[in-house]
Amino acid sequence: MVFQLTYRRPAYVNCPVSATWSTEEKVKSLDGSIKSGSTGMSNGIPDALSFDRIISGGTCPPCTIRDFMNYLIYREHSAENLQFFLWYRDYCKRFAEVPASERVLAPEWTSAQAAAAEAELAQLQTKGMKNLSPETTAIFKGTDFAPKSNNMTRTDTPPLTPNTINGDYFSARNSQAGGSQADAGLLGGKDYTQTAAKAFEGAGLKLQPFTVQPFRQEVDRVIATYLNERGPRELNISARERAAALHALARTTHPSAFQAIAATIECSLRYQAHPNFIRWVIYNGNHARVVFARGLGLGGILLGFIAAVLITLSHAGRGWRALAAIGWFIGVSTLFAAWKGLCVVLHGMHHRHLRPWELFAEDEEASAEYELGKESFDSGMSNSYEDQPWVIRYEKRNIVRKVFDREVWIQEPALRQIQDTIFLQAAGVALVASLVLSAIFVALPKGKLF
């Protein structure tokens, strides 16, 4: 079973349309996506590979949530988005299970309070700008000392894979529900109060958060990890969103305090990271294998032309010229499939190459490091991977070994259907091209040169 022959794989998304949406528009769009439970085929993603299906664990390798996380770590370098999203979803569930007597200490952050905080931020910004003379402002314009605007969207992204690790901020996984007991289990011997206090101070807040609120210590760790500037997993959000979230978190630990940031992150995952992941996972070969397949395709096309020209210039009958169609068919189909990221040889067995970070998992020493890296779901460590053993080992691998790397069977049926569809498209294009070229050469007169 295949999809329609007019199927097109997801287009690469460089910047999602949701980047210009307001918080209300983002929440409304997300609610619609969750209620429908489907992303449809309009963007080239079948329902079986939808974002919600992957997150819920309803897919098979190489389309699982673990594969999605690895893609964000090693390819897109934005794993902090998925890590924060998973934490926030779990945090909402655990907060709802807190006894009402403790939950009342952290009231919901309403839209009216959010609007008041926005006005306060604008006032602070205006006040800060007024403290500088026009001459000073002109001198500092365009430098690091220029006045910062809270409503300006960030254009500088955090380090993709920093070389230093700022510490294990989540040394123990939070699997308990409740107030102080859960907080004590999450602390792990680390104190993030000072880091969170500096973040609050940077947002212009002087009041101290209420420490008796449920999960306050956990929220402090989240601030130190995801909201603090140059934190180990700093989220790529606007300065205005960061300041607004810190204003809310200074007053409550209710999940609604994270709503604006959570909506931005989820929109980025749904409308950018997820389509790009599906587009990437369609590739069944590594870069060396795909380039090799493209070379074979071009070679087959060239051999077809050479055979057609030689037969045309000879005394052989016109019918013999049609033999060149074999080379054209093989070459065009191979080239078209490789252009879509498929190696037809691997596809014939429904195999794929192992990813570079998967290749050395069987090695006991490298496996330990690999498993450690996969703890990115719960750890507060940086997403840096340059020091992992497989990086150097894969760089030293010669090109021939990369072309013929180890393979594994593709378990996800929906992904196999997409690849089957692309293969049929390649065969159809190759058939039309070979017939047209054969008709052209058959119509030519004999050369009778030999």
Side-chain angles (χ1 to χ4, degrees):
M1 180 178 177
V2 296
F3 299 116
Q4 296 181 354
L5 292 180
T6 56
Y7 168 83
R8 296 185 63 182
R9 61 179 177 168
Y12 182 79
V13 181
N14 188 34
C15 181
V17 293
S18 59
T20 59
W21 293 353
S22 64
T23 301
E24 292 75 13
E25 291 174 327
K26 292 175 183 177
V27 172
K28 184 177 180 180
S29 176
L30 293 174
D31 289 342
S33 299
I34 294 174
K35 290 179 180 178
S36 66
S38 171
T39 57
M41 284 294 295
S42 59
N43 56 0
I45 303 176
D47 292 340
L49 296 178
S50 66
F51 177 80
D52 295 304
R53 185 71 66 87
I54 293 176
I55 295 298
S56 63
T59 53
C60 300
C63 302
T64 63
I65 189 173
R66 175 64 66 190
D67 297 304
F68 191 21
M69 178 67 76
N70 287 336
Y71 166 77
L72 293 176
I73 292 176
Y74 301 118
R75 301 292 298 182
E76 198 164 281
H77 308 292
S78 60
E80 62 276 358
N81 289 339
L82 181 58
Q83 291 158 347
F84 177 83
F85 171 79
L86 294 175
W87 170 85
Y88 178 71
R89 189 179 64 162
D90 180 66
Y91 181 72
C92 292
K93 295 179 181 178
R94 290 185 287 110
F95 191 91
E97 297 173 356
V98 172
S101 59
E102 297 184 23
R103 198 164 59 243
V104 72
L105 298 174
E108 182 179 359
W109 184 252
T110 63
S111 56
Q113 290 175 306
E118 290 278 349
E120 183 180 352
L121 287 172
Q123 185 178 5
L124 289 174
Q125 175 196 349
T126 304
K127 183 178 179 181
M129 294 293 291
K130 287 182 178 179
N131 291 335
L132 294 178
S133 64
E135 293 79 7
T136 305
T137 304
I139 293 174
F140 287 149
K141 184 178 180 181
T143 69
D144 294 338
F145 301 98
K148 298 296 188 298
S149 173
N150 283 329
N151 62 348
M152 183 180 298
T153 302
R154 284 188 55 192
T155 57
D156 62 311
T157 57
L160 300 182
T161 52
N163 292 325
T164 59
I165 297 178
N166 295 332
D168 186 0
Y169 285 89
F170 295 111
S171 57
R173 179 171 182 168
N174 186 5
S175 59
Q176 303 178 11
S180 59
Q181 182 179 3
D183 286 341
L186 267 172
L187 187 56
K190 300 272 188 177
D191 185 11
Y192 304 101
T193 305
Q194 294 181 355
T195 305
K198 291 181 180 179
F200 286 126
E201 183 180 352
L205 296 171
K206 296 182 179 180
L207 64 126
Q208 294 297 323
F210 300 103
T211 57
V212 296
Q213 291 176 333
F215 302 111
R216 171 51 67 182
Q217 291 179 347
E218 179 179 354
V219 169
D220 285 345
R221 282 188 298 279
V222 171
I223 292 173
T225 304
Y226 295 102
L227 299 184
N228 187 40
E229 292 190 8
R230 301 306 172 189
R233 295 181 179 179
E234 181 190 2
L235 296 174
N236 188 17
I237 55 178
S238 67
R240 185 174 184 175
E241 287 177 314
R242 175 182 287 102
L246 290 173
H247 273 67
L249 293 172
R251 294 166 174 82
T252 181
T253 57
H254 193 278
S256 57
F258 290 101
Q259 184 179 25
I261 291 179
T264 298
I265 296 303
E266 186 172 353
C267 282
S268 177
L269 288 171
R270 284 183 180 272
Y271 305 132
Q272 181 180 19
H274 175 241
N276 291 345
F277 169 66
I278 299 301
R279 177 185 174 90
W280 174 78
V281 83
I282 291 175
Y283 283 55
N284 64 357
N286 56 31
H287 179 70
R289 182 62 169 258
V290 171
V291 172
F292 179 71
R294 291 173 182 173
L296 289 180
L298 292 174
I301 295 174
L302 181 61
L303 289 177
F305 274 107
I306 293 176
V309 170
L310 291 178
I311 296 175
T312 302
L313 295 178
S314 68
H315 287 81
R318 294 175 181 266
W320 291 102
R321 304 175 193 177
L323 292 177
I326 299 176
W328 289 327
F329 180 83
I330 295 176
V332 173
S333 60
T334 302
L335 182 62
F336 183 91
W339 175 49
K340 297 289 186 178
L342 287 183
C343 171
V344 293
V345 176
L346 291 176
H347 173 72
M349 301 178 289
H350 278 143
H351 282 190
R352 69 172 178 89
H353 273 159
L354 289 173
R355 312 300 182 191
W357 50 88
E358 298 173 326
L359 278 172
F360 308 102
E362 294 181 0
D363 188 343
E364 184 176 354
E365 180 181 354
S367 178
E369 293 290 338
Y370 175 67
E371 293 298 328
L372 178 62
K374 294 199 296 183
E375 289 302 317
S376 54
F377 285 100
D378 313 308
S379 167
M381 298 173 61
S382 165
N383 292 319
S384 174
Y385 63 87
E386 285 88 348
D387 295 333
Q388 293 184 10
W390 67 264
V391 176
I392 299 177
R393 296 180 63 179
Y394 189 75
E395 289 179 352
K396 293 180 179 179
R397 211 174 182 87
N398 62 66
I399 189 65
V400 177
R401 290 193 66 184
K402 289 182 179 179
V403 171
F404 300 100
D405 257 337
R406 283 183 292 169
E407 308 164 10
V408 65
W409 185 60
I410 297 175
Q411 301 180 35
E412 176 54 49
L415 180 59
R416 296 200 302 267
Q417 285 182 297
I418 292 177
Q419 293 177 340
D420 289 341
T421 303
I422 294 177
F423 177 77
L424 289 181
Q425 291 174 341
V429 171
L431 179 62
V432 173
S434 58
L435 289 177
V436 171
L437 291 174
S438 296
I440 293 175
F441 275 92
V442 168
L444 295 176
K446 295 182 180 181
K448 300 181 180 180
L449 297 180
F450 55 90

